[in-house]
Amino acid sequence: MLLNDLRAYKPCADLVSKIRILLLGPVGSGKSSFFNSVKSVFQGHVTHQAIVGSDSASITEQYRIYSVKDGKDGKSLPFMLCDSMGLDEREGAGLCMCDIPHILKGCVPDRYQLSPQKPISPKHPTFITSPSLKDKIHCVAYVLDINSINNLSSKMVEKFKRIHKEVLNCGIAYVALLTKVNNYSEVLEEDFLNMNRSATSQSQVMNVNKMLGIPVTNILIVENYASEWELEPVKDVLILSALRQMLRAADDVLEDLPVEETDEIAAKIQLCM
């Protein structure tokens, strides 16, 4: 059912052909693993396209915009997952804070080589100077290891707050994605598809709610594929449910765009037909 719903999904009002979801989180939180997990479910077997690791430094050095196909030779689905360098509490390490507004606004191209010390500049030859709505980020997913939430440093929390303020200023949808939940099967038995309301995960969810001001309904929980060889139905349900909530959040924002902006987009679409 979930799989079929997502296969049939179309972005709100046909303003864009694909929803762009940006994954942001600390090094090792599971950003790249979430993309791999989403792709695995639609491919029907576990895949590892995006490189993942557990090093203290970010494995991801390029800004990547990943499409997902429905099956090996299937069509591209109407969403893309954007992966970036991990956030680091240290200054001059991890994703450069100055790059984030440019990423949100759609100015950073696929495969751009990120640098902690040198943010992208409008003078860069691949900088997208006039991004359209389709180039922009439509939903941000703050990815957090559920086991490390209580240990986030004040510097990391401050970075998240700064990013969240920018996301709100840009009018972008957002969710928090909590990964690496070890007892996902047990929790699903307690409260199917409402893990954020179960006693097991309630404290971590409330911590994220207080820390970033994200509504509890926008805090999602998954267990990514890491070392498994085969797909697990319970994991698939959580992964697809989280993805569906991200797309719904993006649709809500697209639906709320100013009338003059949507009319302008519609006019451009008509000219291209």
Side-chain angles (χ1 to χ4, degrees):
M1 181 67 177
L2 268 171
L3 202 56
N4 290 336
D5 284 351
L6 288 166
R7 282 170 172 156
Y9 167 79
K10 289 184 179 180
C12 171
D14 294 326
L15 295 176
V16 295
S17 59
K18 292 189 178 186
I19 295 295
R20 291 196 180 198
I21 300 167
L22 175 63
L23 306 172
L24 280 177
V27 174
S29 58
K31 303 181 304 302
S32 301
S33 292
F34 181 69
F35 161 69
N36 286 337
S37 298
V38 169
K39 181 178 178 181
S40 295
V41 177
F42 283 99
Q43 290 289 301
H45 60 87
V46 177
T47 67
H48 300 283
Q49 180 180 347
I51 300 172
V52 299
S54 56
D55 200 345
S56 58
S58 181
I59 296 295
T60 304
E61 294 185 347
Q62 289 185 329
Y63 175 63
R64 290 304 318 272
I65 303 172
Y66 292 111
S67 293
V68 179
K69 288 186 177 181
D70 186 13
K72 185 176 180 181
D73 300 314
K75 65 176 182 178
S76 290
L77 294 157
F79 58 84
M80 292 185 284
L81 295 171
C82 305
D83 194 12
S84 63
M85 184 178 285
L87 297 171
D88 197 300
E89 63 180 23
R90 298 168 297 171
E91 291 301 321
L95 181 63
C96 180
M97 294 294 284
C98 295
D99 278 335
I100 293 174
H102 293 312
I103 291 173
L104 295 176
K105 294 170 185 175
C107 301
V108 181
D110 184 30
R111 298 181 187 272
Y112 173 75
Q113 190 72 26
L114 298 161
S115 170
Q117 292 88 19
K118 188 178 179 181
I120 192 170
S121 163
K123 295 181 180 179
H124 193 278
T126 63
F127 188 89
I128 301 170
T129 54
S130 300
S132 61
L133 183 62
K134 69 178 180 61
D135 301 312
K136 298 176 181 178
I137 296 300
H138 308 114
C139 180
V140 171
Y142 302 114
V143 185
L144 293 160
D145 179 345
I146 197 169
N147 305 295
S148 302
I149 290 169
N150 297 339
N151 300 320
L152 287 176
S153 68
S154 58
K155 290 182 179 180
M156 182 62 78
V157 172
E158 183 57 34
K159 277 196 173 184
F160 269 113
K161 288 181 176 179
R162 285 169 57 193
I163 294 168
H164 193 47
K165 184 177 180 180
E166 186 69 34
V167 169
L168 292 174
N169 287 340
C170 290
I172 296 171
Y174 57 87
V175 300
L177 184 67
L178 310 188
T179 64
K180 305 185 182 182
V181 55
N182 298 320
N183 59 330
Y184 61 94
S185 296
E186 171 193 331
V187 179
L188 276 177
E189 288 173 8
E190 292 175 16
D191 196 7
F192 188 68
L193 284 186
N194 284 301
M195 294 178 69
N196 57 334
R197 303 182 193 280
S198 72
T200 310
S201 56
Q202 187 70 30
S203 61
Q204 289 93 330
V205 167
M206 294 312 298
N207 282 347
V208 174
N209 168 259
K210 291 175 183 176
M211 180 176 70
L212 297 178
I214 295 178
V216 171
T217 51
N218 281 24
I219 302 175
L220 317 170
I221 297 181
V222 298
E223 168 62 4
N224 291 325
Y225 285 105
S227 58
E228 298 83 355
W229 289 97
E230 300 294 337
L231 296 179
E232 299 177 23
V234 173
K235 283 190 180 184
D236 292 355
V237 168
L238 292 176
I239 292 162
L240 294 176
S241 296
L243 177 61
R244 183 173 63 178
Q245 288 303 108
M246 293 173 191
L247 296 174
R248 286 175 174 175
D251 275 342
D252 286 342
V253 170
L254 288 174
E255 193 173 9
D256 198 41
L257 284 174
V259 174
E260 58 271 19
E261 189 171 341
T262 57
D263 286 348
E264 182 181 345
I265 295 166
K268 286 180 180 178
I269 292 173
Q270 191 66 35
L271 284 173
C272 294
M273 293 177 66

